[in-house]
Amino acid sequence: MSRILIATARPMFGASAERGAQPSIAERILFSPLAILSTWSERLKQRSALAAMDDRMLKDIGVSRTDALVEMQKPFWIA
């Protein structure tokens, strides 16, 4: 019986997500804010890089200057 309990016990962190299980409440409470902050930080970096590009670089990636300006003016919390 102990083998069954050990096999079905779910760890609190990390491994549960790897197996495709739903995250525990503790995982959601701890990692959701970190994921949001990480996303916001990445948006700031990407928009900063976009602002630093010249017209030739924008043309290379298929973005017009107008599209770039619209994207750069968005607040970091807006996708």
Side-chain angles (χ1 to χ4, degrees):
M1 181 160 156
S2 63
R3 288 185 187 177
I4 293 171
L5 291 176
I6 291 171
T8 59
R10 200 173 98 187
M12 284 186 68
F13 302 102
S16 64
E18 293 171 12
R19 290 194 316 255
Q22 292 292 329
S24 69
I25 295 291
E27 287 173 321
R28 285 185 278 176
I29 289 171
L30 290 173
F31 296 115
S32 288
L34 294 175
I36 291 169
L37 291 174
S38 176
T39 299
W40 287 352
S41 175
E42 188 61 30
R43 284 184 192 151
L44 284 171
K45 288 178 194 173
Q46 290 176 1
R47 289 176 182 162
S48 176
L50 192 62
M53 291 182 181
D54 62 20
D55 289 333
R56 180 189 56 80
M57 295 168 91
L58 290 172
K59 184 178 178 184
D60 284 347
I61 63 171
V63 176
S64 70
R65 175 60 63 189
T66 304
D67 292 339
L69 290 171
V70 167
E71 187 64 29
M72 288 182 279
Q73 292 174 351
K74 289 182 185 178
F76 62 88
W77 59 87
I78 302 293

